[in-house]
Amino acid sequence: MILHGYWRSGASYRVRIALGLKELSYQTAAHDLRQGEQKAADYLALNPQGMVPALQDGDLVVTQSPAILEWLEETHPEPALLPKKSTDRAHVRAMAALIGCDIHPLNNLRVLKSLRGDFGADQATVDAWAARWITPGFTALEALVTRHGDGWSFGDAPGLVDCYLIPQLYSARRFNMDLKAWPRLLAVESRALAHPAFQAADPDRQPDADA
């Protein structure tokens, strides 16, 4: 398998975590979003949307991190990212979507570029914009982790929600957010940072990371 991504992309980070949790080997194909490499013709032939990540497995190319994670779960079911009970799976998907649909899209690179380029936002304004959307999302997630977590975001083993949470915490720090209001999320992060799959997926450990 080949993972097309970018070291600091939160969506690519999610997929790296999932691949690590499932102990799947893969190669990395890096596309520097700052340089517009994701718009190169050869990559657009694989992914017409020109975004990362994309997971290539032979002739198959799967795009969009939620679809990639679900595909990995279906084709490599153990160890599982989703619990066995259908109601639990629904809760997990909802928690993941809270991050993937309601938080992350509003602070990804193309939105931030628009804020800076189209509206003249400085870094302080960008930080405030990100915090505006991360704060209520984390507050809701804190309550859900309190309700459903047992060491991890849901239950007592790492799973789908953690694939989303850890990259979003990493992103929040880039926007200079104080995270002490969410101790449950930080406790999950502390456990994740000691886990080999999360360590290997860390953006700063990727081959294309800035020195």
Side-chain angles (χ1 to χ4, degrees), residues 111-122:
V111 171
L112 303 184
K113 280 187 172 181
S114 179
L115 287 174
R116 294 185 177 104
D118 299 337
F119 301 101
D122 60 12

Side-chain angles (χ1 to χ4, degrees), residues 98-148:
L98 190 158
I99 297 171
C101 299
D102 296 334
I103 299 177
H104 175 257
L106 290 163
N107 56 74
N108 68 16
L109 183 61
R110 63 179 181 164
V111 171
L112 303 184
K113 280 187 172 181
S114 179
L115 287 174
R116 294 185 177 104
D118 299 337
F119 301 101
D122 60 12
Q123 189 58 49
T125 302
V126 168
D127 289 351
W129 166 269
R132 164 67 182 84
W133 307 110
I134 293 172
T135 296
F138 275 3
T139 298
L141 197 61
E142 178 84 2
L144 292 169
V145 171
T146 300
R147 183 180 303 170
H148 297 295

Side-chain angles (χ1 to χ4, degrees), residues 124-204:
T125 302
V126 168
D127 289 351
W129 166 269
R132 164 67 182 84
W133 307 110
I134 293 172
T135 296
F138 275 3
T139 298
L141 197 61
E142 178 84 2
L144 292 169
V145 171
T146 300
R147 183 180 303 170
H148 297 295
D150 184 13
W152 294 90
S153 295
F154 192 98
D156 60 0
L160 186 71
V161 184
D162 306 298
C163 295
Y164 283 78
L165 173 62
I166 302 309
Q168 193 59 60
L169 287 166
Y170 176 91
S171 177
R173 289 193 174 88
R174 290 182 53 222
F175 300 115
N176 301 303
M177 288 188 65
D178 184 348
L179 303 177
K180 65 176 180 295
W182 306 290
R184 294 278 186 171
L185 305 188
L186 294 179
V188 172
E189 182 189 43
S190 178
R191 178 165 287 197
L193 293 179
H195 191 293
F198 292 86
Q199 292 173 347
D202 186 279
D204 298 319

Side-chain angles (χ1 to χ4, degrees), residues 54-70:
L55 186 64
Q56 188 174 5
D57 187 15
D59 293 332
L60 174 70
V61 178
V62 185
T63 65
Q64 291 290 342
S65 61
I68 295 171
L69 295 174
E70 292 281 354

Side-chain angles (χ1 to χ4, degrees), residues 1 14-26 55 68-83 89 158-160 163 195-198:
M1 285 188 287
R14 292 172 199 158
V15 176
R16 292 196 302 266
I17 294 170
L19 288 164
L21 288 173
K22 290 185 175 292
E23 300 180 356
L24 296 171
S25 60
Y26 64 95
L55 186 64
I68 295 171
L69 295 174
E70 292 281 354
W71 180 81
L72 288 171
E73 184 73 350
E74 292 175 5
T75 55
H76 303 276
E78 297 296 336
L81 298 178
L82 289 165
R89 293 162 81 95
L160 186 71
C163 295
H195 191 293
F198 292 86

